[in-house]
């Protein structure tokens, strides 16, 4: 068999076509569909499947039609937008196996990056070839020197499978390809040479019988390519019958319900019937794909399916993962929405409007409501005023807007800064936990002041002289994905610490938090008395895609140029101050349970200066403090009434 595969450009040579003919003569089923091929020839490998052995499409009946349409002569493009646990990798593998065995062609398999291409080749493709006898016969082992095969190139009689990755346009601009299979294509970042998917599609232009397969979980709404591609197709969805009323319906996350978190989740049919998870197998077997877009682009067929359908995952498990994701915050929730619900993540803050937020204002029983564990502040510097918000933070990023102040005046004058300092250093009265409890106060534990405007010098002066109170100079960087706070650098004379903060990251978090409708993790509380202008400013920006050179980048910008955005900026800065402070909320809770009036705990932030004094008391958590001031009076002030207050 090895003599077969040593020929270069094997699909193009005469000698190879002769060999191919002789091999195909042993295959009577040249009109097989892909699902038929898989049921006949495909074997699952033990390292890839809990049920190794012969493949059965009946176990995942929703894959039958997507596999079947690929070989339909009218179909050019198949889009498969699906969650992770739906066997979409096996869908890809079966397509490849079919084209290697039954309809040998030049094939391009496209991954997100080189690491994923290598992992896929070694962990998915190699075991499939090894354990599927018809493929093992056609493809020599990569380690055999004369097999003509490497990790990224597989040769077989009449064809060639090349692996490419989206981060390297060089791997895409090779020979013509009849079949292009783009796996996890929503993760392809644009390159300087252009969009990787388009580059790969260009490879197929010389083939009239080309096949383009786009397979992916969706990601961010703004950058998603799989969702727009799906919308161009006939948009098939898998309808399954209710086991009680027989009504055909698609399975949606909003219909998964539970009575309490310890009992099993169940599904509520569109007619109100309660469906237990045990019914899923029967429902899947009776399901059918239905077209939901009657006017698709000709030749394009699309399928969308989520994890609710997966025979490998039950609804209770999904519920548990959802609750964890919700508690952990937007990054984890995004993963759940993308990979379990197969929906794009919408972080643009489009759902909620100013009126919704205005209606949400609530009565705060004291300046600092119960739930707030730490206060931070953000300060924006304009030419004629300072704007400042004090934000209270609880566990799981639940937040309370404690105060919003505008200090009119020229920032080159000392007076506005004195006024700001008064606001930032005073005591804020906490709501007592019960009627008998002592009145407690909180002070602002960290402050971030924007130094990016015209008054950098004044900001440095202010933060330098209040460094012991954790007043930090910050500057925004709108680099996507940049962490909220990085290590500070030393700037100016005399030297001042400057933190560069990831404003895009903060704005993503704020937009997501504003969408949270119920108090709890990430929810934003606002006090009675906030006006519409405040909320307009808070929602003044949205995420958009913009070209920078030839690359499209995601960025936040104003909805209208005329809108003011200071309220959003100061919230970003208050959030950055919290990230720099990095308080340990769990330790606070533990201490509060044992010792309600004990001193606060602040983790020594990895971002903070190493020069701080760390005080460790016996059996006490670590309390880190800034350098102790020289004057005895100042020292007493910090010990007695620290920058981090009791709670
Ligand atoms: Zn029903």
């Amino acid at each position: 068999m090895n003599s077969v595969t040593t020929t270069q450009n094997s699909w193009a040579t005469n000698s190879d076509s002769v060999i191919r003919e002789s091999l195909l003569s042993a295959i009577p089923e040249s009109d097989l569909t892909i699902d038929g091929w898989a049921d006949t020839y495909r074997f699952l490998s033990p390292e890839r499947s809990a049920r190794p052995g012969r493949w059965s499409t009946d176990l995942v009946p929703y894959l039958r039609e997507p596999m079947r349409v690929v070989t339909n002569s009218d179909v050019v493009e198949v889009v498969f937008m699906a969650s992770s646990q739906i066997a979409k990798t096996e869908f890809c593998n079966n397509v490849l196996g079919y084209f290697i065995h039954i309809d040998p062609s030049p094939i391009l398999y496209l991954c997100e990056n080189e690491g994923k291409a290598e992992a896929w080749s070694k962990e998915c493709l190699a075991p499939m070839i090894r354990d599927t006898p018809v493929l093992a016969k056609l493809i020599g082992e990569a380690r055999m020197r004369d097999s003509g095969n490497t990790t990224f190139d597989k040769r077989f009689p009449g064809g060639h499978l090349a692996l490419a990755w989206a981060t390297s346009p060089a791997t895409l601009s090779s020979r013509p390809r009849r079949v292009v299979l783009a796996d996890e294509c929503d993760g392809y970042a644009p390159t300087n040479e252009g969009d990787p998917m388009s580059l790969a599609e260009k490879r197929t232009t010389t083939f009239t019988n080309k096949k383009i397969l786009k397979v992916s979980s969706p990601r961010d709404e703004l950058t998603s390519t799989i969702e727009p591609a799906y919308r161009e197709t006939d948009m098939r969805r898998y309808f399954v019958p209710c086991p009680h009323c027989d009504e055909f319906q698609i399975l949606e996350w909003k219909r998964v319900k539970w009575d309490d978190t310890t009992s099993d989740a169940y599904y509520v049919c569109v007619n109100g019937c309660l469906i237990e998870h045990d019914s899923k197998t029967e429902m899947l077997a009776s399901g059918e794909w239905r077209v939901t877009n009657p006017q698709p682009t000709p030749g394009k067929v699309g399928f969308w399916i989520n994890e609710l359908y997966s025979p490998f995952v039950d609804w209770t498990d999904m519920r548990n993962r959802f609750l964890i994701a919700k508690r952990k915050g937007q990054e984890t929730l995004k993963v759940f929405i993308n990979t379990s619900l197969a929906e794009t993540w919408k972080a643009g803050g489009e759902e909620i409007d100013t009126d919704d937020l205005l209606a949400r204002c609530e009565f705060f029983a004291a300046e600092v409501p119960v739930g707030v564990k730490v206060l931070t502040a953000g300060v924006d510097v304009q030419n004629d005023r300072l704007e400042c918000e004090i934000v209270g933070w609880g566990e799981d990023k639940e937040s309370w807007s404690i105060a919003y102040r505008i200090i009119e005046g020229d920032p080159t004058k000392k007076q506005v800064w004195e006024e700001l300092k008064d606001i930032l250093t005073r005591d804020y009265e906490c709501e007592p936990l019960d009627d008998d409890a002592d009145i407690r106060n909180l002070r602002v534990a960290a402050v971030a002041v924007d130094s990016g405007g015209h008054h950098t010098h004044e900001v440095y002066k202010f933060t330098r002289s209040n460094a012991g109170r954790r007043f930090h100079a910050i500057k925004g960087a709108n680099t996507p994905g940049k962490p909220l706070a990085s290590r500070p650098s030393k700037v100016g004379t005399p030297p001042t610490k400057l933190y560069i903060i990831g404003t895009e990251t903060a704005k993503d978090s704020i937009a997501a938090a504003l969408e949270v409708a119920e108090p709890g993790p990430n929810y934003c509380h606002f006090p009675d008395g906030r006006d519409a202008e405040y909320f307009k400013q808070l929602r003044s920006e949205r995420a958009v895609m913009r070209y920078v050179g030839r690359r499209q980048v995601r960025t936040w910008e104003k909805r209208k140029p005329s809108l003011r955005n200071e309220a959003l900026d100061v919230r970003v800065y208050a959030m950055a101050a919290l990230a720099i402070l990095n308080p340990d909320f769990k330790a606070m809770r533990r201490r509060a349970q044992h010792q309600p009036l004990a001193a606060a705990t602040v983790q020594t932030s990895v971002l903070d200066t190493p020069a701080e004094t760390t005080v460790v008391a016996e059996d006490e958590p670590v309390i880190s403090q800034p350098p102790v001031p020289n004057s005895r009076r100042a020292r007493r002030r910090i010990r007695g009434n620290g920058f981090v207050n009791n709670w």
Side-chain angles (χ1 to χ4, degrees), residues 242 244-247 249 269 271 273:
C242 168
H244 308 292
C245 70
D246 291 332
E247 175 98 29
Q249 54 199 292
C269 149
N271 296 324
C273 322

Side-chain angles (χ1 to χ4, degrees), residues 323-339:
L323 292 176
I324 292 169
K326 206 174 145 192
R327 197 170 65 240
K328 283 193 170 172
Q330 62 148 6
E331 273 311 306
T332 326
L333 192 59
K334 178 173 188 276
V335 171
F336 180 84
I337 286 172
N338 292 161
T339 63

Side-chain angles (χ1 to χ4, degrees), residues 198-218:
S198 309
L199 293 173
E201 283 181 53
K202 273 189 195 149
R203 306 266 61 79
T204 65
T205 45
T206 53
F207 291 91
T208 51
N209 58 350
K210 64 188 170 195
K211 300 288 176 188
I212 297 164
L213 289 95
K214 299 176 179 173
V215 180
S216 193
S217 301

Side-chain angles (χ1 to χ4, degrees), residues 69-77 210-211 297-301:
V69 296
V70 176
T71 50
N72 183 325
S73 58
D74 297 332
V75 172
V76 176
E77 181 173 313
K210 64 188 170 195
K211 300 288 176 188
T297 306
K300 296 191 176 187
V301 177

Side-chain angles (χ1 to χ4, degrees), residues 24-58:
L24 277 179
S25 64
I27 305 162
E29 307 96 330
S30 53
D31 57 348
L32 266 181
T33 54
I34 294 174
D35 57 305
W37 178 85
D39 286 330
T40 312
Y41 295 109
R42 173 80 201 279
F43 283 80
L44 290 166
S45 305
E47 59 265 62
R48 292 283 307 155
S49 172
R51 293 188 208 174
R54 205 173 267 285
W55 167 271
S56 168
T57 307
D58 286 342

Side-chain angles (χ1 to χ4, degrees), residues 250-265:
I250 55 167
L251 297 183
E252 298 174 287
W253 177 241
K254 66 180 182 190
R255 299 194 162 275
V256 174
K257 307 282 177 195
W258 51 92
D259 299 327
D260 59 68
T261 51
T262 56
S263 61
D264 284 350

